Each structure stands twice: as C-alpha cells, then as structure tokens.
Amino acid sequence: MSELVSGLLATLAYGVIGTALMALGFLLVDLATPGKLRELIWVQGNRNASVLLASGLLGVGAIVTTAIITSDSDMAVGLVSTVVFGLAGLALMSVAFVLLDLATPGKLGEILASPEPHPAVWVSASVHIAVGAIIAASIT
C-alpha cells in the first residue's frame, strides 16, 4: 500500500512540475508572438500560432518524460532534474527561436501571428522539437 501512495505522490509531483513547465512554455511563446496567444489560437483559430505552441509543448513534454524515466527511484533527484532540464530546454528553445529570427528575413513573431499559413512556422516548430529531443537525449 505504501508503494501505491508513494507512486501516486510522485505522479502528482511530476504532473505539477510538467504542467508548470508547459505553462511557462506557453508564456514564452506568448512573449515571442505579437498579440495574445490565447486570442490568436482560441478566438482567431491561427494555425501558425497553434503549430508553434504545440511544438514547444511537445519539446517540453519530451524533456519532462525523459527526466522522469531516467530518475530511477530517487524522487527528489528526479523532481529537481525535471525542473532543471525543463528550464534548460525552455531557455534553449527561446535562444533557438531568437537565432532563427535573426537568420531569416522579416520578423518571425509577426509571421507566426499572421492569419495566413506560412512555411516558416514549420521550420520554427521543427527547431522546438529538435531542441527538446536534444535535451531529452542528453539526460542521463
């Protein structure tokens, strides 16, 4: 019975951390795009913003999942590594977004907030997922 309780507590703790990291990822994408992300996606149905946000959440999810899987049985170490690697992933995704913006014509944030589908969103999304995968693969 104690294993069930400790497993439930670990699940809740990892769930809270993962959700908080994804919420932070939402805020970072919101800062990178002109306008309010909630409005762009849920009111205007902007596909560009949706793809960008989804890719960031998938990247964070990969990092959190890998941190949990590699945490062995030490929950405290696992929780701390999940936070550390999650924050590192979000920081690197943000840096990659800025570097991509600098390397391409126009303002990437404005392109992604545009109602017209744009191929740049897929490049940016791929960068988010790739950075998430790289961070996830580096977790030991």
Side-chain angles (χ1 to χ4, degrees), residues 20-42 46-60 89-98 101 108-113 121 124-125 127-129:
L21 288 167
M22 287 190 292
L24 181 57
F26 179 95
L27 293 173
L28 290 172
V29 173
D30 195 23
L31 288 172
T33 53
K36 291 290 177 196
L37 194 57
R38 293 175 62 197
E39 170 123 357
L40 286 170
I41 294 173
W42 283 275
N46 184 302
R47 290 182 186 152
N48 293 331
S50 298
V51 170
L52 181 67
L53 177 61
S55 67
L57 296 177
L58 287 169
V60 171
L90 287 169
L92 288 172
M93 283 182 219
S94 298
V95 168
F97 182 87
V98 169
D101 189 25
L108 193 52
E110 292 174 8
I111 291 170
L112 297 171
V121 72
S124 184
V127 168
H128 276 151
I129 293 170

Side-chain angles (χ1 to χ4, degrees), residues 2 5 16 29 49-50 52 69 74 79 89 94 101 113 117 121 126 133:
S2 69
V5 172
V16 166
V29 173
S50 298
L52 181 67
I69 290 170
D74 191 339
L79 293 171
S94 298
D101 189 25
V121 72
S126 298

